[in-house]
Amino acid sequence: ISGTDPVYDSGLFAVNNGTIVGLGVVDVAITGGLTTDQQVGALTGSNKGTIQRCWATGSIATAALATGGLVGQMTTGIATVPITLTDSFSRVDITNPTVSVNSHVGGLVGDVAAGFVRNSYATGIVDTNATRNDWDFSGGLAGEIKSSATAVNCFSTSLVDGGLDTKYHSGLAGQLGGSLTYAQTTAAKAVYNALSVSTFSDIRTGRALNTFKTSSYFTDTGSGWSSAYPWDFTAVWTISATANDGFPTLRAQRVGEPVNTEST
């Protein structure tokens, strides 16, 4: 996908106002002179509905306002439609030159402005090439998680390069204004907590890579995980030395294989 239209969001779907389930976008390549008025993601530029068991691989190189490996921005839409992203992942490498203030770049979602993210992860490279140290948000999971948004039971092994920015980037989120709990990253830099009212608990930063490769780390009650949001390695997650470089993966998904293998 490539283009210069400053109006429309870009992705397999420009905007999702409904429900997307079990859809993978493989080897995506999004490039071009996209402007700072757009949201860009491999699956959808803007998610105003429900996304479940979806994934993306490939690369994105744009100058959009919000860029995510799977979703550019999660934002409010039709009042009766829940805004969610669950059981999904991204292995998309992102390059964004952040040519304007307030750009958002995330391995999974560029800007979580609203809604709920759970049981999801990102593993791609996030490179913003930021040329200044102000208001360019980049994170291995999300560029920013805002005050009306929540993310739980997520992890990132993304490599994040914030360029000249020293404040608004980390292995999880460039800035937190909402709720981020029971999340993991292998990067050592802490998330910037924008608001004192933010929920900012049980976040593991700077964990050794091998730590992420054992299910006991995620399920050990001694690690402080909440019974309200368990890491479910029976129905949701699984770990195999031969899949996802040994990191947890989602049982419902395998890149290159159909999600639903039942006959129709």
Side-chain angles (χ1 to χ4, degrees), residues 13-21 43-44 46-52 54 74-85:
F13 303 100
V15 179
N16 172 43
N17 286 301
T19 300
I20 304 174
V21 179
L43 183 65
T44 181
S46 293
N47 178 37
K48 302 179 180 181
T50 297
I51 295 174
Q52 183 179 16
C54 292
M74 291 179 61
T75 186
T76 55
I78 302 171
T80 57
V81 177
I83 307 162
T84 62
L85 172 62

Side-chain angles (χ1 to χ4, degrees), residues 153-180:
N153 293 75
C154 298
F155 76 88
S156 166
T157 60
S158 297
L159 298 175
V160 181
D161 184 351
L164 295 182
D165 173 78
T166 59
K167 188 174 185 180
Y168 301 108
H169 74 277
S170 81
L172 284 171
Q175 177 168 263
L176 174 67
S179 176
L180 176 64

Side-chain angles (χ1 to χ4, degrees), residues 21-196:
V21 179
L23 180 59
V25 186
V26 180
D27 294 332
V28 64
I30 300 179
T31 61
L34 297 170
T35 76
T36 56
D37 296 322
Q38 289 177 295
Q39 283 68 235
V40 177
L43 183 65
T44 181
S46 293
N47 178 37
K48 302 179 180 181
T50 297
I51 295 174
Q52 183 179 16
R53 300 197 306 275
C54 292
W55 70 92
T57 67
S59 63
I60 298 176
T62 76
L65 178 65
T67 305
L70 191 67
V71 176
Q73 182 183 60
M74 291 179 61
T75 186
T76 55
I78 302 171
T80 57
V81 177
I83 307 162
T84 62
L85 172 62
T86 60
D87 306 321
S88 299
F89 69 88
S90 167
R91 295 177 187 162
V92 175
D93 294 333
I94 301 172
T95 302
N96 184 301
T98 60
V99 295
S100 72
V101 174
N102 291 326
S103 63
H104 298 78
V105 186
L108 185 70
V109 183
D111 182 12
V112 188
F116 185 76
V117 181
R118 186 179 181 187
N119 291 337
S120 299
Y121 67 91
T123 65
I125 296 171
V126 176
D127 185 359
T128 66
N129 295 321
T131 57
R132 61 187 172 274
N133 189 29
D134 61 346
W135 305 104
D136 291 327
F137 308 112
S138 56
L141 189 69
E144 183 175 13
I145 300 173
K146 293 182 176 173
S147 59
S148 58
T150 299
V152 297
N153 293 75
C154 298
F155 76 88
S156 166
T157 60
S158 297
L159 298 175
V160 181
D161 184 351
L164 295 182
D165 173 78
T166 59
K167 188 174 185 180
Y168 301 108
H169 74 277
S170 81
L172 284 171
Q175 177 168 263
L176 174 67
S179 176
L180 176 64
T181 55
Y182 314 112
Q184 317 283 313
T185 177
T186 52
K189 189 177 184 301
V191 182
Y192 180 74
N193 192 358
L195 303 174
S196 60

